[in-house]
Amino acid sequence: MIEPKIDLASLSLFPATRAQVEESWHRTWSQWGGTLSLTEYLAREVEMESMDHAKDGKLITWVLAPRDDPTTLDFMCSCEAFKRSGLVAYPSPSTSELNLVHEVTYYAIASVFTPPSKRGRGYASHMMHLLHWVIASRDNLPKFPEAWGAPPEQVPGAIEGLFSCLYSDVGEDFYRSAGPGGKEGGWETRGAVSTIWDVGAEEGDDDGWLWLTQEQLNRLWDCDAERINKELESMLTSDTSYEVERPAAFVTCLPTNGVCGFHIPRSTYASDFFMAGGFWGIQSLNDPNTYASWSVDLRPPPPILIVTRLCASEETFPGLIAKIIQAARRSGIGKVEVWKLGEGLKGVAERTGGQTVIRNEHLPQIVWYGSGATGNIEWAYNEKFGWC
């Protein structure tokens, strides 16, 4: 049953009560539950919110609800915002000096959902317009439109994001047109590119390689964050591989604090899938700066091994991808996928059997809340680990 439309000015954005959080899970199960029963889906969500990437206030569910009844379970729509640590690098004016790199707060947005009975009323768009006002510093936001009523109240600990990102399954335009002041200034697409390999029958030995468990990966990601920081310091201002001609800043997510780690339990929850050896990553013993981590996409079948983070040179990449393919083969997986492979590795990937395609789902989109326009910001390390 389609409900009558409610005036958008009478609605605002509120942090969800516990009852509203649970109601949002009940609503989204039919859309995203896959093969999980409702009981399994609810249990998974409870487990996920207790993990490092979400606990201690890092996850807030937001609901669009009437201003005069903000705790109602009949709210219009909802979304999730994860507070995370990222890096921003401002290019040095001199090639002899390092770029200035700062650790910053950003937000990863997920689970944007409107129940069927409330669709076609502009609720989700309005929610995304308002979301900017509760996760970002308002210093660089435009004037709040009078037609929307009063701005939503800011929540302590849920502001000061320098940028936010999301992964769209509804194309580019919906989120791009959801700006903080109207239809301009929303999330812009960056690097929706995947490289995919079919898994063959070839087998190799494990000499010179260390297979990594989830626990070992946690230590690797701490080192990886330091590496990313150092690489950003010396990142060139101009490069033909950039999506922005001369970036005013480089931004990146970081794989630490459970951001990369949660992919594994989330993707395998309540399934009988077992990764061969219990290994979810690999590192070269000869070159410790060559490594990768992965998760799996089981739904819909057949399963795909998704690389969440990859670091390699043109020389070491062929050996690394061969081991990743080997891990997939040993686990009964027929395809391997890497997001936004580095420009220098694309030719090597093609020679090793990889096919690069433009994705039409999980589109990485970003909006910048600092000085200047999103169109001048380069998203570095735009790999699967940032997805939520």
Side-chain angles (χ1 to χ4, degrees), residues 291-325:
Y291 49 82
S293 62
W294 52 80
S295 64
V296 292
D297 189 351
L298 300 176
R299 306 178 184 93
I304 300 175
L305 186 151
I306 306 284
V307 174
T308 49
R309 173 75 177 114
L310 184 146
C311 184
S313 65
E314 293 184 36
E315 292 72 30
T316 62
F317 179 77
L320 179 63
I321 193 63
K323 300 308 293 182
I324 297 171
I325 292 172

Side-chain angles (χ1 to χ4, degrees), residues 1-8 11 20 23-24 27 63-66 69 72-78 113-127 174:
M1 176 179 172
I2 301 299
E3 303 174 5
K5 182 178 179 179
I6 296 176
D7 179 26
L8 295 180
L11 304 172
Q20 287 174 324
E23 171 64 16
S24 74
R27 292 181 179 190
V63 297
L64 184 72
D69 192 11
T72 179
L73 297 185
D74 191 28
F75 53 87
M76 309 304 146
C77 51
S78 61
F113 188 81
T114 306
S117 64
K118 299 181 185 297
R119 292 177 186 171
R121 301 292 187 269
Y123 295 144
S125 294
H126 192 57
M127 175 176 67
F174 177 78

Side-chain angles (χ1 to χ4, degrees), residues 184-338:
E184 301 292 333
W187 288 267
E188 299 181 8
T189 303
R190 295 284 194 277
V193 179
S194 287
T195 305
I196 301 170
W197 287 259
D198 288 321
V199 174
E202 301 83 3
E203 186 65 47
D205 60 53
D206 293 336
D207 290 346
W209 296 93
L210 175 65
W211 295 100
L212 302 173
T213 63
Q214 293 184 58
E215 182 177 350
Q216 290 170 309
L217 282 171
N218 288 331
R219 294 192 291 271
L220 175 65
W221 289 321
D222 287 336
C223 296
D224 187 41
E226 295 178 6
R227 177 184 177 86
I228 290 173
N229 192 316
K230 289 185 179 299
E231 289 181 348
L232 283 174
E233 287 182 340
S234 56
M235 197 162 282
L236 298 175
T237 306
S238 180
D239 192 294
T240 56
S241 68
Y242 295 164
E243 295 188 63
V244 175
E245 186 173 349
R246 291 190 67 83
F250 300 92
V251 299
T252 184
C253 313
L254 288 174
T256 48
N257 300 317
V259 168
C260 198
F262 96 98
H263 289 257
I264 298 168
R266 187 185 188 281
S267 64
T268 57
Y269 189 86
S271 76
D272 58 3
F273 176 82
F274 179 74
M275 196 75 208
F279 299 126
W280 295 93
I282 194 164
Q283 185 174 26
S284 170
L285 293 174
N286 299 319
D287 180 4
N289 288 325
T290 297
Y291 49 82
S293 62
W294 52 80
S295 64
V296 292
D297 189 351
L298 300 176
R299 306 178 184 93
I304 300 175
L305 186 151
I306 306 284
V307 174
T308 49
R309 173 75 177 114
L310 184 146
C311 184
S313 65
E314 293 184 36
E315 292 72 30
T316 62
F317 179 77
L320 179 63
I321 193 63
K323 300 308 293 182
I324 297 171
I325 292 172
Q326 180 177 307
R329 181 187 312 111
R330 291 176 177 179
S331 304
I333 298 174
K335 290 185 182 295
V336 168
E337 181 176 349
V338 178

Side-chain angles (χ1 to χ4, degrees), residues 47-68:
E47 182 174 318
M48 290 297 104
E49 68 177 358
S50 69
M51 299 183 68
D52 287 344
H53 75 292
K55 67 181 184 180
D56 300 328
K58 290 193 284 289
L59 166 62
I60 293 180
T61 298
W62 293 92
V63 297
L64 184 72
R67 295 179 187 272
D68 59 1

